[in-house]
Amino acid sequence: MKSTYFKYLFSLIAILGLFLTSCTNTTEPVSDNTEGLKKIDYAPTVDEAQIQAQSLITESFKTILEGSTVSNNSSSLGKNTSNSTYSYISGWHTWRGDLIESPFEIQDSYMAQYLAKIQFQDASQNVQVLPDGAKAMLVYLNAHAAFGFVGDDPSGDERWYDFNSVVTPLTGNPSMVSAQGTYERRWVGEYSADGENWELVEIQNKFFVNAKDVKFFYDYVADDYYLLGNITVTTNGIKILARFSNSRTALLEIYQNDVLVSTAQLELPNFYQMFNVPSLENWNFGSGFIFPTPIIF
């Protein structure tokens, strides 16, 4: 039976998956053999941007929720598995290894790796090893995947997902969450804008996520959570504003060139009802992250 404290901290770690802030570790491209190629900053359609944004938000929740074992049983911090290693470095509980799911729908993708970190702080922002009595928590995830770029062939597909966040106070209801981050895709291959003239190009696309002082509430009676505040996802020419009003269902406002073009709803799952706490025998925080389905260029 989970304690009330565990459920609340479980919720806090889950909400961190939504948001992103600095302290990232930059991963260089696996191949930069693209000098002289035409570079395109891809502008997605409204539908493409909305689908990507919804996937990023939802997957972030799922991924960080898996890390909640930290708040329940500190013995899980030292777990190494076949696809991950754990260490405590410079005040961060750190896991690194291979992603479980291939982001390219090809199981032999030659690189699909992650780096995940959690840190606890006291009221004076001093690092403390365990979550008991902590006043703030920071969560970080970097996922990097690549396919192709073999030998001198510049063709390939590569993606990054970087985020971290801070939430304080841990024992409050609500707690405040602020963050920012980036999802980036880099694709190199034969491309035709008109279906006739093909050329080798490099296409890049980025999504930016921002949140500030979003309130997170845990509902002890319903074993559920709800949010109050806004999350903004932006990409080339498109902004998606997710407005949460004491709910885990957001009103999505989609703007193109600052003009409101459509609205929709995004209901975040109640992960308390969907997932069991991961087994401490094979627990590896971060390895279950799944990249959004790629846009077809």
Side-chain angles (χ1 to χ4, degrees):
M1 196 77 179
K2 291 180 290 185
S3 67
T4 299
Y5 170 74
F6 166 61
K7 287 183 178 180
Y8 187 67
L9 194 51
F10 188 81
S11 304
L12 292 176
I13 299 178
I15 194 66
L16 287 175
L18 272 175
F19 318 108
L20 318 152
T21 149
S22 56
C23 186
T24 58
N25 294 357
T26 302
T27 304
E28 293 298 323
V30 295
S31 170
D32 200 18
N33 188 22
T34 58
E35 185 176 354
L37 287 186
K38 179 180 179 180
K39 290 180 169 48
I40 298 174
D41 186 9
Y42 183 75
T45 66
V46 169
D47 288 343
E48 288 173 336
Q50 179 182 333
I51 291 171
Q52 294 281 289
Q54 292 180 161
S55 296
L56 287 170
I57 292 173
T58 303
E59 181 60 26
S60 295
F61 260 92
K62 189 203 77 173
T63 300
I64 303 304
L65 190 64
E66 293 173 347
S68 62
T69 313
V70 171
S71 64
N72 184 44
N73 191 327
S74 60
S75 66
S76 64
L77 291 170
K79 293 291 181 179
N80 293 331
T81 68
S82 60
N83 69 318
S84 72
T85 60
Y86 165 84
S87 58
Y88 185 71
I89 302 175
S90 302
W92 289 89
H93 299 282
T94 304
W95 299 261
R96 64 177 71 236
D98 298 327
L99 292 174
I100 294 173
E101 298 289 337
S102 166
F104 304 106
E105 299 181 356
I106 302 172
Q107 293 307 314
D108 293 332
S109 303
Y110 77 91
M111 179 180 292
Q113 299 174 332
Y114 74 95
L115 170 67
K117 302 190 291 187
I118 294 176
Q119 182 180 100
F120 301 99
Q121 296 180 352
D122 64 19
S124 300
Q125 297 185 323
N126 297 314
V127 175
Q128 62 180 65
V129 177
L130 298 179
D132 293 341
K135 301 302 181 183
M137 180 171 59
L138 288 73
V139 169
Y140 168 82
L141 175 66
N142 171 284
H144 174 227
F147 180 77
F149 305 108
V150 178
D152 293 331
D153 185 354
S155 301
D157 197 348
E158 191 167 22
R159 285 183 253 177
W160 295 264
Y161 190 42
D162 279 281
F163 71 84
N164 61 30
S165 182
V166 60
V167 57
T168 187
L170 288 182
T171 55
N173 199 6
S175 289
M176 308 297 287
V177 182
S178 296
Q180 61 183 8
T182 304
Y183 166 66
E184 178 179 2
R185 184 176 176 208
R186 169 179 172 261
W187 181 90
V188 182
E190 293 288 335
Y191 175 78
S192 173
D194 57 13
E196 296 181 359
N197 300 302
W198 293 83
E199 59 181 329
L200 187 66
V201 301
E202 178 176 341
I203 301 177
Q204 296 180 332
N205 180 230
K206 292 183 180 181
F207 282 77
F208 302 92
V209 180
N210 287 278
K212 183 178 180 181
D213 295 337
V214 174
K215 294 182 179 179
F216 171 81
F217 299 83
Y218 175 68
D219 185 337
Y220 299 93
V221 176
D223 195 20
D224 206 344
Y225 63 91
Y226 55 98
L227 310 174
L228 177 61
N230 301 332
I231 299 130
T232 303
V233 180
T234 57
T235 187
N236 193 344
I238 297 175
K239 179 178 75 173
I240 299 171
L241 181 61
R243 297 184 183 271
F244 290 91
S245 180
N246 293 321
S247 174
R248 54 181 168 82
T249 298
L251 170 65
L252 298 182
E253 298 177 352
I254 299 93
Y255 296 83
Q256 188 170 37
N257 299 321
D258 297 324
V259 176
L260 179 65
V261 294
S262 66
T263 60
Q265 285 191 335
L266 169 63
E267 181 179 4
L268 297 174
N270 180 3
F271 289 104
Y272 296 110
Q273 313 265 329
M274 294 176 59
F275 292 103
N276 294 320
V277 176
S279 168
L280 297 183
E281 296 300 319
N282 56 13
W283 186 79
N284 43 10
F285 170 52
S287 66
F289 176 80
I290 301 174
F291 280 94
T293 301
I295 296 171
I296 305 301
F297 294 137

